[in-house]
Structure formats: C-alpha cells, structure tokens
Amino acid sequence: MASQDALRQATRLASSSALLQVLFRVVTFGLNAFTLRYLSRELIGVVSVRLTLLYSTVVFLAREAFRRACLSGSTKRNWTKTINLLWLTVPLGVFWSIFLGLIWLHLLEVPDPSVVPHYQAGVVAFGLSAVIELLGEPFWVLAQAHLFVRLKVVAESLSVVSKCVLTVILVVLYPQWGLYIFSLAQLLYVSVLVMCYVFYFVMFLGSPEATKKSFPIARMKALLPNWVEDETFVNWKEARLTWSFFKQSFLKQILTEGERYVMTFLNVLNFGDQGVYDIVNNLGSLVARFIFLPIEESFYVFFAKVLERGKNVKDQKQDDVSMAANVLELLLKLVLLIGLTITVFGYAYSQLALDIYGGSMLSSGTGPVLLRCYSLYVLFLAINGVTECFTFALMCKEEVDRYNFVMLALSFTFMCFSYFLTRWHGSVGFILANCFNMGIRIAHSIHYISDYFRESTYRPLSGLLPSPVLALVYILSGVMTGFSEVFCCCDKGWMAKLIHISVGALCFAATIGTVLCTETKLIHFVRSQFLSRYMKKGT
C-alpha cells in the first residue's frame, strides 16, 4: 500500500510539474522570442553562457549533494538535524560565489564594454543571486520530500515569468543598460522563488491541513538552524553521504555544463557564436526541462522510498521489487518514445523552427545543424535521466564513491573531446561530445540495473526496445519528412512551408496511432498514473 501511494504521488508530481511548466513556459517562450530582436548576439552570449555558468556552478556545488543525501530514505527522520545540514549550503554558497566571482572578474576575458556594458556589475549580481536562492534550500527539500505537488512548479514558474516580463520591459525602454537589465531580472527571479516557498510555509505550518497530515515541522522557527542539547548538530550518516555526493556532484557539474566551461576558459568560440549556441541549446532542451526533469526528480523520490538503498534485490520486499521493475520498464519505454519522436521529427523541422523563433539570425549559419544534432542528443538525455534516477536512488555510499572515480575519468575525457571536436566541427562539436558523455553514463547505469535484477525474474531494460512495427513507422516518417524539407523548406514561400508542416503532421499522427496500437501496456500506465486525475476532472 505504501508503495502504491508513493507511485501515485510521484506520478502526480511529475505530471503536474510537466503540465504547469508547459503552460508557464509558453508565455516565457514568446517573451524570449520578442526579446531576441532587440539584443546583440554578443550580449546574449555573455549572459547565457558566462554569467549563467557562474550562477549555476555556485548553486550546483553548494546544494546538489545536500539534496541527494537529504531526499534519500523515509520522511520519518530527525528533521531538525536534516534542516541544520541543509543550512550549511548558505556559507558554502558564499564561499563559491566569492571564489568563482574573483576568477570571472580577474582571470577570464572581459567583454568589450562598448558591446557588452557593465560586465563587473553582472558578475556581482549573478553571484549574489545564487546565495539568495540557497536561502530557500531547507524549504525546497522539505516540500520535495513530502511531495507538495504544486508548490515547486508554481514557485519556479512565477519566478521565471516575473524575470521574463521585467527583461522585456527593460530591453524595450532602456536597451542601453546592457547587463544591468539581466542582473535586475536575475535578482528578481531568485527573490520571487524564495519568497514563494517562505510564504507557503508561513501559511501552511500550524494550519489544520498540516495537523491532519502529521507534518513533522510545527512552526517557522523550526526551519532555522537549531542546536539540541546532548545531540549532534547534524545527522552524521547524512553528512557522510553528502560528502560522497559532493565529490560526485563536482564531477557531474563538469559533465553537465562542460561545453560552457570549455567556451568560457578556452575561448574556442567568440561571444556571438556562444550566444547562438546557447539559444539553440535552450530550444533543444525544452522537452528535457518540461518532461524529463520532472520525471527524473519525482521518480528518484519514488525509487528511494520503495527500495532500500544498498540492499540487493533478494533482501528487498518482493512486492516492492515487482512494482519498481514494472515502473522502471514503463518509464524507459515512455522516455524512449518521446526521445525518438523528437529525434526523427526534429531533423526535418529544425530550420523552420529557428526561422519562426528568431528570424534569420538563427536560421542561417550553424543554427539548423546545431538543432538537428541536439534532437539526437535529446534521445540520450531521455534515457540517461531515468537510468541514472534509478541507479542513484539505489547506490550505497561505497558504490557512490566508486562511481566518483568513473565520473573523474569521464570528466577529463569529455573536456578533451569537447576541445578537439570544437576545433574540428565548431559549436557542433559540443553536442557530439555531450552525446559521447551521455552514452558512457547510460552504459554504466544499464550495467548497474542489469546486475541489480540479474538474480530476479524481472527485466526492466526491455523498455528500451520499441516494437518492430513502431520502429518501421519512425524510419518511414524520417524519410518522408526529410524529402519534404528538401523540396518545400524553407526559402520557397509560406505555401511550401505549410505543405512541409502538413507532411509532418500526417507522419506524426501515424506515429501516435501506431504507439496506441502497439504499446498498450504503456498507454494504460500513462492513463492510470499520469492522466487519471485530469480525466476524472473532465468527467
């Protein structure tokens, strides 16, 4: 029963996250498309690559390990010690912000002030924004651990929309402000994000709903650091696990943002090319943020609750093993089909999408080639997200430590591949290196999952095999839309573009129809778990 509840809550969180993110991101998508027509490629490159890298690096290094350690296991724990541990992210964030800020200011190439004004203010603002966001970390972990479905998504969506609206207003009214615009927008983003969490818990704690749920925290003061007499300040088991994850997160950050580090420290691309690459990267990763990330985060919590970390399959409750294996198989099939769909149709519609979104600045040059390659990369992202989600939820501390050495070797290899492939193929080399990186990580996770279920009758990795009929439909769709692009897109007028879109729509409809006929088990899982509450609302 507990496993069923965990599954229901995880799917609810994932589906709600995906739906609400799509609704809010549609607004920001339009606002960003509007903003692109007012900015130079160089300014976009500095903001999207250089400054965003500073912010993401500080935040990731300061909190990722704490999140993974504190979300492992049951919600029945000593939350005072867990919250004490989480508050250590703030001084850690201050350290990384100052240390990395000095590097960004004094060791890296400074953009031309006439093209990108106020660079120093931008570095300070983005570093400060990382520290402000870390102030909300105890609230975020508490909400995620108890599967508060809407809080996380609404908070993030409101903060993103606020940021985009302010950016558009300032870009139109004061374009000469340069990086001041994005600095103010970034500070507004993190402030709204943290205040949403604080305001929610101020209203929730002590309420009848909190009492009904037997919520472990009774008042806001308990969310501050507290020293309990005759007890340690933190849970040392969680602290040791955090240290193991910290060593891993340092390497994972290099792998996740590797291309930006290469661009920033090795100057393989100018700021203008960095801007185009980042725009294409953001477009290509929309589905990863909308669908794959909510699934990964939600089902990491599910697997961590249902199966006990560090125990082999024979020592687990067999009902829980059966459910976990079934869910893993269906999740793999789900993300595989989404990834294949994007790969097949993304190849033929990349140039058209960029032309509509950003005009000739994006649709000419390397933009379409970048987006085509990224469509393939999305397939790797899809599979890696679910396989690593399961693997990290089950690894014991010793296995995490061993995996750190794998990540270390992979980080070095990835950086080398990025550098040489970029010298050879320009910005496309970054995506090729990322595909290699993800391929190795997928292979490791598949090996772990295969070993884990070897002594059982379950084979969840069969979810990575589409039916032969569906594979044939994907191949035919790719061929037909490819020919359609050659003859109808994208400089032959709007009528030809509409024909190209119609061909894609027909092929897409045929693909969806085949999925409905051949993947009945998956369709039942999606309808019963992800869509059930929306279908009930409509009846």
Side-chain angles (χ1 to χ4, degrees):
M1 191 66 182
S3 301
Q4 288 286 354
D5 290 340
L7 174 59
R8 186 163 51 251
Q9 290 174 319
T11 51
R12 186 180 174 214
L13 179 60
S15 57
S16 298
S17 297
L19 180 63
L20 288 174
Q21 283 204 42
V22 168
L23 292 175
F24 279 97
R25 291 284 182 172
V26 165
V27 177
T28 60
F29 186 83
L31 293 174
N32 287 335
F34 174 80
T35 305
L36 283 176
R37 286 154 173 80
Y38 288 83
L39 302 173
S40 67
R41 299 194 309 171
E42 289 74 18
L43 184 61
I44 294 171
V46 171
V47 173
S48 300
V49 178
R50 178 73 67 84
L51 295 182
T52 302
L53 180 64
L54 171 63
Y55 159 78
S56 65
T57 302
V58 172
V59 167
F60 194 94
L61 292 179
R63 78 182 180 192
E64 180 68 11
F66 291 86
R67 283 187 171 185
R68 288 204 173 272
C70 295
L71 286 174
S72 298
S74 170
T75 56
K76 295 179 180 179
R77 64 176 75 188
N78 187 329
W79 276 102
T80 298
K81 293 184 178 183
T82 299
I83 289 170
N84 288 343
L85 182 65
L86 287 168
W87 276 110
L88 296 179
T89 60
V90 177
L92 193 59
V94 171
F95 166 77
W96 284 118
S97 183
I98 294 173
F99 177 74
L100 294 174
L102 291 174
I103 294 175
W104 258 242
L105 286 171
H106 300 293
L107 297 183
L108 298 181
E109 175 190 1
V110 177
D112 184 353
S114 63
V115 179
V116 183
H118 315 303
Y119 172 72
Q120 288 78 10
V123 171
V124 173
F126 274 72
L128 177 61
S129 71
V131 176
I132 293 174
E133 183 168 344
L134 292 171
L135 293 172
E137 195 58 21
F139 304 93
W140 187 94
V141 170
L142 197 61
Q144 190 75 356
H146 290 85
L147 298 172
F148 287 179
V149 176
R150 290 188 178 87
L151 173 59
K152 174 177 176 290
V153 181
V154 170
E156 291 182 356
S157 300
L158 286 176
S159 57
V160 168
V161 171
S162 302
K163 175 183 176 180
C164 288
V165 170
L166 180 61
T167 301
V168 169
I169 293 172
L170 294 180
V171 163
V172 173
L173 297 180
Y174 306 103
Q176 71 278 8
W177 281 14
L179 290 181
Y180 282 154
I181 296 172
F182 295 94
S183 299
L184 292 172
Q186 178 68 16
L187 291 171
L188 176 65
Y189 164 77
V190 295
S191 299
V192 171
L193 183 64
V194 173
M195 289 308 300
C196 283
Y197 279 96
V198 173
F199 180 76
Y200 179 86
F201 277 103
V202 167
M203 301 297 293
F204 176 75
L205 295 181
S207 68
E209 183 183 359
T211 304
K212 181 180 178 182
K213 291 182 177 181
S214 300
F215 199 71
I217 305 296
R219 48 195 183 133
M220 285 296 293
K221 187 178 180 180
L223 286 172
L224 298 174
N226 285 283
W227 188 279
V228 180
E229 291 185 11
D230 301 325
E231 291 190 27
T232 57
F233 184 67
V234 299
N235 182 327
W236 284 108
K237 182 179 178 181
E238 284 182 351
R240 286 190 291 269
L241 187 59
T242 299
W243 174 241
S244 295
F245 277 125
F246 177 77
K247 291 180 286 185
Q248 183 189 100
S249 67
F250 189 87
L251 301 173
K252 186 177 178 180
Q253 175 67 3
I254 294 176
L255 294 174
T256 304
E257 301 279 13
E259 69 272 14
R260 286 181 170 83
Y261 288 115
V262 173
M263 280 188 273
T264 298
F265 289 95
L266 299 181
N267 297 322
V268 292
L269 298 176
N270 59 45
F271 289 119
D273 289 340
Q274 290 180 25
V276 173
Y277 174 83
D278 191 74
I279 293 169
V280 171
N281 180 65
N282 287 334
L283 279 174
S285 62
L286 283 175
V287 175
R289 293 199 301 267
F290 288 164
I291 299 176
F292 301 149
L293 186 59
I295 288 175
E296 180 183 349
E297 290 182 344
S298 301
F299 282 91
Y300 173 82
V301 176
F302 165 73
F303 290 127
K305 284 177 177 291
V306 171
L307 299 176
E308 194 168 340
R309 182 185 295 276
K311 281 190 176 182
N312 62 43
V313 70
K314 286 185 175 181
D315 295 332
Q316 306 276 5
K317 294 179 181 178
Q318 291 309 300
D319 288 344
D320 291 345
V321 172
S322 175
M323 174 177 288
N326 186 53
V327 169
L328 178 59
E329 177 185 347
L330 294 172
L331 283 179
L332 287 173
K333 181 62 66 67
L334 176 63
V335 297
L336 174 72
L337 296 186
I338 295 172
L340 282 174
T341 302
I342 292 168
T343 300
V344 170
F345 290 94
Y347 183 87
Y349 291 89
S350 292
Q351 186 174 359
L352 180 60
L354 290 176
D355 189 59
I356 294 172
Y357 184 67
S360 59
M361 182 184 84
L362 296 180
S363 61
S364 60
T366 60
V369 178
L370 280 171
L371 192 53
R372 289 188 186 108
C373 292
Y374 206 98
S375 298
L376 173 62
Y377 178 50
V378 167
L379 178 59
F380 285 87
L381 281 174
I383 299 171
N384 181 71
V386 173
T387 54
E388 277 198 349
C389 151
F390 180 86
T391 301
F392 289 155
L394 271 293
M395 279 182 172
C396 65
K397 179 184 179 298
E398 291 73 22
E399 289 171 325
V400 172
D401 288 337
R402 284 199 299 270
Y403 186 58
N404 288 337
F405 290 103
V406 176
M407 295 282 277
L408 179 61
L410 192 55
S411 301
F412 177 75
T413 306
F414 172 69
M415 299 295 282
C416 293
F417 263 78
S418 295
Y419 179 77
F420 289 112
L421 286 174
T422 306
R423 291 292 187 185
W424 182 32
H425 271 305
S427 50
V428 174
F430 284 124
I431 301 177
L432 297 177
N434 272 316
C435 288
F436 169 80
N437 158 38
M438 284 295 168
I440 299 297
R441 288 165 65 176
I442 290 169
H444 175 272
S445 297
I446 286 177
H447 177 71
Y448 180 91
I449 293 170
S450 178
D451 280 352
Y452 185 82
F453 287 101
R454 179 171 295 169
E455 297 181 355
S456 74
T457 58
Y458 306 107
R459 298 294 178 264
L461 292 176
S462 61
L464 293 175
L465 299 174
S467 69
V469 175
L470 184 56
L472 179 61
V473 171
Y474 274 122
I475 293 172
L476 292 175
S477 296
V479 172
M480 291 178 65
T481 54
F483 276 109
S484 173
E485 182 186 33
V486 172
F487 293 107
C488 300
C489 190
C490 285
D491 55 356
K492 298 177 176 63
W494 276 105
M495 184 56 67
K497 291 179 181 178
L498 289 175
I499 294 174
H500 181 46
I501 293 172
S502 300
V503 171
L506 290 173
C507 291
F508 181 73
T511 303
I512 296 299
T514 307
V515 170
L516 293 174
C517 293
T518 60
E519 302 293 348
T520 54
K521 187 178 178 183
L522 173 64
I523 299 304
H524 175 73
F525 175 72
V526 172
R527 292 183 63 183
S528 63
Q529 299 297 336
F530 288 91
L531 302 180
S532 58
R533 68 195 191 95
Y534 301 114
M535 294 171 68
K536 288 176 184 176
K537 286 181 181 179
T539 58

